């Protein structure tokens, strides 16, 4: 702005000077206008997001500050198809292509809270989808590993999370039933597609004391928290839910 005023006050000398100054002003005010337009657009979503966290998340009993902070920060509109941006803060799951969905914000918050993730945790997610749940975990934990069966979804989530600056998320195209042995054991596992039974392989990749939150069932599904004990597991039913099925690769 200071530079713009300087140029405005000095006397034009030649027609070239005047032309240069005109283009300078054109460029300068275009940048100001575009920046203002971008800020105005994201402002609209900031309000929607704040309202979503308040009404759908906090008022329904989610208390974990780490989870609330993550949901306040992450721009969910960047994780849904462009034509659904205006629905990004509604209280629902939304289609993300290939017959899959981004989960309802409340369910994302609930599962993350139930996993009790802390800053030093290494977390595995099964079912990357849009990458939204992975971003929520990445705001809280130190490392996130996420597996997605559908390659184009894995690829687009990877580039989305990279462009948003997440350096602690690694995404693999593969079969979540196998887990990710190279990086096991995990402090927590969040499964966002529903298998008919709890996969033994995933329990095997939990640390002792580790938590897995997982929807289980074919038609009626129940969300479970499975805690790995020094001997055996503790299994708690938390909530009836609806998730897409966890599939076997073809
Ligand atoms: N967590 C996602 C939503 C997931 S929807 C988000 O935040 O957007 C469930 C995802 O699980 C789908 O993308 C589906 O392709 C994937 N999925 C289903 N079966 C799978 C399997 N065996 N291994 C890995 N991913 C699987």
């Amino acid at each position: 702005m200071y530079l713009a005023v300087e140029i405005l006050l000095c006397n034009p000398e030649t027609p070239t000077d005047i032309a240069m100054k005109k283009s300078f002003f054109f460029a300068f005010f275009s940048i100001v206008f575009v920046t203002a337009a971008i800020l105005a657009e994201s402002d609209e979503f900031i309000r929607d997001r704040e309202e979503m966290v308040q009404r759908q998340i906090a008022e329904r009993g989610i208390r974990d500050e780490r989870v609330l902070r993550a949901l306040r920060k992450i721009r969910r509109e960047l994780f849904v198809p462009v034509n659904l941006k205006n629905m990004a803060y509604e209280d629902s799951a939304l289609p993300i292509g290939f017959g899959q969905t981004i989960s309802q914000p409340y369910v994302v918050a609930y599962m993350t809270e139930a996993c009790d993730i802390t800053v030093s945790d290494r977390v595995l997610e099964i079912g990357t989808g849009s990458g939204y749940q992975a971003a929520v975990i990445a705001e809280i934990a130190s490392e996130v590993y996420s597996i997605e069966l559908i390659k184009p979804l894995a690829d687009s989530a990877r580039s989305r999370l990279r462009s948003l600056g997440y350096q602690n998320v690694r995404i693999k195209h593969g079969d979540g039933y196998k887990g990710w042995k190279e990086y096991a054991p995990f402090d927590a596992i969040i499964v966002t597609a529903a298998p008919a039974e709890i996969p033994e392989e995933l329990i095997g990749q939990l640390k002792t004391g580790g938590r897995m939150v997982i929807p289980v069932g074919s038609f009626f599904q129940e969300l479970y928290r499975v805690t790995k004990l020094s001997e055996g597991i503790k299994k708690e039913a938390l909530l009836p839910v609806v998730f897409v099925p966890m599939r076997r690769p073809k």
Side-chain angles (χ1 to χ4, degrees):
M1 186 53 93
Y2 176 72
L3 186 61
V5 173
E6 279 277 278
I7 290 177
L8 189 65
L9 292 179
C10 72
N11 290 326
E13 284 160 7
T14 65
T16 324
D17 283 345
I18 296 171
M20 274 179 64
K21 281 169 191 166
K22 273 190 185 157
S23 6
F24 172 80
F25 278 110
F26 180 72
F28 180 80
F29 287 109
S30 306
I31 291 168
V32 171
F33 179 77
V34 169
T35 312
I38 290 169
L39 289 177
E41 188 196 12
S42 52
D43 258 344
E44 178 196 329
F45 286 117
I46 287 171
R47 269 198 306 277
D48 290 352
R49 186 157 57 249
E50 190 48 50
E51 205 174 294
M52 178 270 277
V53 173
Q54 191 52 36
R55 299 243 169 95
Q56 301 172 31
I57 313 291
E59 284 175 20
R60 284 193 195 144
I62 304 294
R63 291 280 167 267
D64 189 332
E65 263 310 316
R66 298 163 294 189
V67 177
L68 297 174
R69 206 178 313 124
L71 268 89
R72 275 198 191 100
K73 178 171 170 194
I74 301 170
R75 300 177 62 187
R76 192 168 185 261
E77 75 273 15
L78 303 180
F79 291 79
V80 302
V82 181
N83 61 325
L84 298 178
K85 266 180 195 263
N86 287 334
M87 296 173 74
Y89 295 101
E90 290 189 7
D91 189 16
S92 62
L94 290 171
I96 54 170
F98 305 92
Q100 307 305 318
T101 52
I102 178 174
S103 310
Q104 181 192 6
Y106 174 71
V107 172
V108 172
Y110 185 94
M111 290 174 84
T112 315
E113 182 176 70
C115 252
D116 194 20
I117 297 165
T118 60
V119 69
S120 57
D121 281 356
R122 190 173 356 172
V123 183
L124 175 68
E125 181 199 20
I126 307 299
T128 317
S130 68
Y132 181 74
Q133 171 76 73
V136 172
I137 305 166
E139 290 288 340
I140 303 171
S142 72
E143 293 168 37
V144 185
Y145 298 87
S146 184
I147 306 175
E148 171 56 54
L149 191 60
I150 299 175
K151 188 163 189 306
L153 286 179
D155 291 343
S156 60
R158 189 182 298 111
S159 58
R160 176 176 295 125
L161 292 170
R162 196 167 293 159
S163 73
L164 289 171
Y166 289 101
Q167 293 183 344
N168 57 342
V169 184
R170 196 173 282 226
I171 292 171
K172 171 165 101 165
H173 165 231
D175 177 15
Y177 279 102
K178 295 188 176 141
W180 201 333
K181 276 202 189 107
E182 259 169 288
Y183 296 103
F186 299 96
D187 298 283
I189 301 179
I190 293 190
V191 183
T192 65
E197 312 273 337
I198 298 174
E200 281 298 324
E201 184 63 45
L202 295 183
I203 296 174
Q205 294 188 19
L206 266 183
K207 283 183 188 170
T208 302
R211 294 83 51 206
M212 171 160 67
V213 173
I214 180 167
V216 183
S218 311
F219 193 69
F220 295 106
Q221 300 163 6
E222 191 76 28
L223 191 66
Y224 284 95
R225 175 169 46 210
V226 177
T227 308
K228 188 155 173 184
L229 308 173
S230 46
E231 276 180 32
I233 59 166
K234 180 170 90 178
K235 193 173 150 191
E236 300 158 88
L238 303 175
L239 195 74
V241 283
V242 181
F243 274 83
V244 296
M246 184 161 163
R247 288 167 304 117
R248 300 275 178 187
K250 286 184 187 128

